Amino acid sequence: MEYMQAAVLTAFGSTEVFEFQTIPKPVPKATQVLVKVYATSINPIDYQTRRGDYKDLIRLPAIIAVDVSGVIEAIGEAVTHFQVGDEVY
């Protein structure tokens, strides 16, 4: 099993609720891609989620990030428009 580092939202509140963890790397399902993230940003949805504005929609612990850029690392078997190595954002 492969692992990755992630900033995990463990509770709702201030920025201190994030915890850096080593977690299993996800395997993409049939129509999904796995992106190795090289850059991300914080936008209003991210901080609203962190403070608990959408707590009825988010199951903790959670990894949140709406805006990311990186390179596709793996693809599901039904993916046809992307390939491993494609740069995405």
Side-chain angles (χ1 to χ4, degrees):
M1 178 177 289
E2 292 187 61
Y3 293 89
M4 66 180 205
Q5 296 293 311
V8 179
L9 184 66
T10 58
F12 297 109
S14 65
T15 57
E16 288 79 25
V17 299
F18 283 104
E19 190 176 292
F20 287 99
Q21 298 179 5
T22 300
I23 62 170
K25 186 183 288 189
V27 175
K29 295 179 182 166
T31 60
Q32 297 177 329
V33 299
L34 178 65
V35 176
K36 180 173 182 146
V37 176
Y38 285 109
T40 187
S41 65
I42 298 170
N43 69 36
I45 293 293
D46 295 319
Y47 70 75
Q48 291 164 355
T49 300
R50 181 207 19 102
R51 71 182 179 198
D53 293 9
Y54 309 107
K55 61 181 151 191
D56 293 337
L57 303 172
I58 304 294
R59 191 172 66 202
L60 298 177
I63 299 171
I64 62 169
V66 176
D67 299 325
V68 299
S69 67
V71 174
I72 293 180
E73 195 171 87
I75 61 172
E77 67 268 6
V79 175
T80 59
H81 289 78
F82 295 99
Q83 57 187 327
V84 172
D86 283 352
E87 295 178 340
V88 294
Y89 63 94

